[in-house]
Each structure stands twice: as C-alpha cells, then as structure tokens.
C-alpha cells in the first residue's frame, strides 16, 4: 500500500529511515518546521529553512520519496518576541520555494501570551502573503472563507493540550471569514480535542508517538468514532524517542480490525493528498480504489 | 459533522484481540504503584497530584459510562 506521512521531522532522522519509509510504501512526506532541541539564533533559522527546502528534498529523492515542508518559527521559541520578529521577516522568501506547502507547525506550547501573539502573527502572514496558487480551478478544493497559505498547527502536550486547543480555535475564529477551516490542519488531537477540531470544519491530525501522544489502537478508535473525513495520521518522528513506522503501524491496526482497503487508502493517502493538494506545490493526486 | 465508521468487530472479538495486552498494561500500573510504595520517603509523596490523578483515573476505568479515554484526558487537563 502506498501512503503519505503528513508530519515527520526528517532532518532529525538518518538516511536509513528514508529507506525504511520507502520500503514501507511511503511516496511523500511533509515536514513542518519545529524546535531543534535548543533555541536557535535568527541566522540558525535561515540555515534550517535551507535544509528543509534544499537538502531534505534531495535526500528523500534518492528513495523515490517526495519531500515537502512548512516554514515557521515554532511556539517553543516564540517567547522572545524580538527574535520572532527577525525570523518572521525572513519567512516570506521561503514561502515561495517549490516544495513549501504553507506555514507550520505554528501553535502553542505552554499557552503563554507571547506564544499566542506569535501564533496570530503567523496566521496574519498566511493571509497577507497569499498570492494565489496559480493552479487550475478544477483542482481547487471547495472551501468556505478566505484564501490564504495552508496552515499546520501544533497543539500543546499533555495537561496543556485541551486549554491550548481551545485557545487556538478561539484565535482562529477571531480572524473571521479571512480563514478557511478547510485550509487548516490542527495536529496532535486526542480523544478530548478531536471533536472540537472536526466540528469547527478543520482537518485533524493524530500523532502516533510514545508516551506523550497517541497509540495506533487509540487512533483507530478515533477513526471509528469520528469517521474518516478530514482525519490524518502521522508519526511526527523526530530527535526524541519516536518511530517513523508508526503511521504504517496504525494502518496495520486498522487492517487487523477488518477495515477495508478503501478506508485505509482514504486515511493514509487520499486525506493528506486532498489537504496538501490545495497547494499547487503538492504533486500527488488522490487515487481511486476499485476492486475487480 | 462527523460520520462514525461502523465497528468491524463484535465485542467478543475485541476482547479476544486486546485482552492480553490490556492485562499486561494493568499489571504495569499495579507494579508501578507497588514500586512507589517500596520507594524511599513515601510520606513525601502524600498529596502528590500525579498519584491522585492515577487513582481518579482508575475510578474512571471502573465506571460503566462510555468515553473513558476522553474522561481520563480531561482529568489530566488544566482548565
């Protein structure tokens, strides 16, 4: 089965992991900008964006994988508003790179006022920097609201998640009709946040990550509870204890319960292809599954 | 806004599939609580919110009401 990992931090992984992903059926990965494990200087961000937009696509290509990315200053480094201002000033140049899908993963970490301020600045940039995607009308996914760059949102961990998710939804609502929920994916949902995200019309991501997030079993439970519409699954493998195979493990879990190929393809291929496909930079198209 | 997928397994099939791994997880919890009891200076842990959370979560498991995972996550969430 072919699949897409919609959230994975390949800069932190070895080239062997690209090979393992290719063997497992991955044809495309999407890599949001994130925290490196230490706070960087503004110059460090420029190097990081070059790594995301130049180095990783070439590394992935060796294994037939298309690498896409997202650009932002992550919420863990948003406390320093001066640094945030410097980094945000450099971002527009990277938004026009050919493998960039949008702005992300922005969001909240400890739900602080400064994090909220920088989150809002990123959303405003997604609106202000939108110049149209130049793609044929037929490929446009119908959505309500305004046009803007696609947005990928990180929600906080553990005890901060529910409050942080509510804050993010409120801030998005404050942008009114300028934001199209169908062009926003809110990630790392769990049982207590999935419904509020989906009810808002947003896409939701479930992250299969040891200890702090979700398991394959719980992710498939949520698919059964809420349906396959606008739900994606990712590994978010990074420099922590994590596993790039966890997205595929979730597909196996769904298969072991008897869910059919059409459902599997929808969740693990067509849903990310539909959301990312709203960017002209994303090449993979949705696939039909027909049984003869 | 959501369209649930029908469950593919009967309740008995779910139990057949997941009983052993659930048993293992319960034993891990029991062993962890035993380890806490054997730890030095147990009295200093009295009133620890994490320990209270674990015991409240175990009460959720004993209830017959649905959405246990969501209710445990809510217990663990700040306001």
């Amino acid at each position: 089965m072919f699949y897409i990992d919609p959230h994975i931090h390949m800069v932190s992984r070895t080239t062997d992991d690209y090979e393992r992903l290719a063997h497992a059926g991955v044809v495309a990965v999407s890599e949001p900008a994130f925290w490196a494990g230490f706070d960087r200087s503004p110059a460090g961000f420029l190097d990081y964006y070059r790594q995301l937009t130049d180095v990783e696509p070439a590394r992935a290509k060796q294994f037939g994988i298309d690498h896409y990315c997202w650009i932002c200053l992550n919420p863990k480094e948003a406390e320093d508003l001066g640094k945030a201002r410097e980094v945000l000033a450099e971002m527009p140049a990277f938004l026009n790179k050919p493998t960039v899908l949008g702005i992300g993963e922005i969001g909240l970490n400890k739900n602080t006022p400064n994090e909220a301020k920088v989150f809002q600045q990123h959303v405003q940039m997604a609106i202000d920097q939108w110049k149209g995607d130049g793609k044929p009308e037929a490929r446009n996914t119908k959505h309500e609201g305004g046009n803007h760059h696609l947005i990928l949102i990180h929600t906080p961990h553990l005890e901060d998640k529910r409050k942080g998710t509510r804050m993010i939804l409120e801030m998005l609502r404050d942008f009114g009709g300028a934001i199209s929920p169908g062009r926003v994916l809110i990630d790392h949902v769990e049982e207590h946040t999935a419904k509020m995200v989906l009810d808002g019309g947003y896409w939701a991501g479930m992250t299969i990550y040891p200890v702090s997030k979700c398991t394959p079993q719980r992710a498939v439970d949520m698919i059964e509870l809420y349906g396959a519409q606008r739900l994606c699954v990712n590994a978010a493998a990074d420099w922590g204890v994590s596993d790039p195979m966890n997205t595929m493990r979730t597909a196996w879990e769904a298969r072991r319960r008897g869910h059919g190929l059409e459902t599997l393809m929808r969740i693990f291929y067509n849903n990310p292809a539909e959301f990312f496909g709203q960017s002209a930079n994303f090449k993979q198209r949705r696939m039909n599954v027909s049984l003869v | 806004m959501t369209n649930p997928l029908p469950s593919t397994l009967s309740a008995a099939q779910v139990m057949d599939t997941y009983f052993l791994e659930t048993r293992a997880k319960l034993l891990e919890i029991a062993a962890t609580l035993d380890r806490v009891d054997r730890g030095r200076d147990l009295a200093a842990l009295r009133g620890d919110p994490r320990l209270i959370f674990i015991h409240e979560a175990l009460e959720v498991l004993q209830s017959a009401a649905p959405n246990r995972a969501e209710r445990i996550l809510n217990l663990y969430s700040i306001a």
Side-chain angles (χ1 to χ4, degrees), chain A residues 17 25 27 41 47 98 104 127 148-149 154 184 214 220 226 236 251 291:
Chain A
D17 282 337
V27 296
S41 67
D47 284 339
I127 297 165
H148 51 79
H149 281 288
H154 164 97
V184 179
C214 196
V220 178
Y226 302 117
L291 303 177

Side-chain angles (χ1 to χ4, degrees), chain A residues 40-89:
Chain A
R40 289 161 287 204
S41 67
F45 273 89
L46 296 185
D47 284 339
Y48 176 48
Y49 295 158
R50 283 181 45 235
Q51 186 179 15
L52 287 175
T53 54
D54 294 341
V55 178
E56 290 305 321
R59 208 158 68 107
K61 203 69 196 166
Q62 299 173 79
F63 304 95
I65 294 173
D66 285 327
H67 179 282
Y68 301 94
C69 71
W70 303 72
I71 299 295
C72 80
L73 173 128
N74 66 87
K76 274 184 91 92
E77 286 170 274
E79 275 306 313
D80 181 345
L81 294 178
K83 181 168 87 176
R85 195 162 39 246
E86 277 191 66
V87 174
L88 263 70

Side-chain angles (χ1 to χ4, degrees), chain B residues 12-71:
Chain B
Q13 286 173 317
V14 172
M15 192 54 73
D16 290 344
T17 305
Y18 296 103
F19 173 70
L20 282 178
E21 57 192 75
T22 304
R23 172 185 178 275
K25 289 169 185 170
L26 287 169
L27 283 169
E28 280 299 325
I29 296 168
T32 301
L33 291 174
D34 288 343
R35 208 173 304 137
V36 167
D37 287 346
R38 293 198 310 275
R40 289 191 304 276
D41 201 8
L42 176 62
L45 202 63
R46 190 167 298 125
D48 187 288
R50 295 166 297 182
L51 204 52
I52 294 168
F53 163 71
I54 289 171
H55 285 290
E56 288 178 351
L58 291 172
E59 286 175 21
V60 170
L61 293 187
Q62 286 200 308
S63 80
N67 303 323
R68 295 173 185 86
E70 180 180 350
R71 284 190 284 141

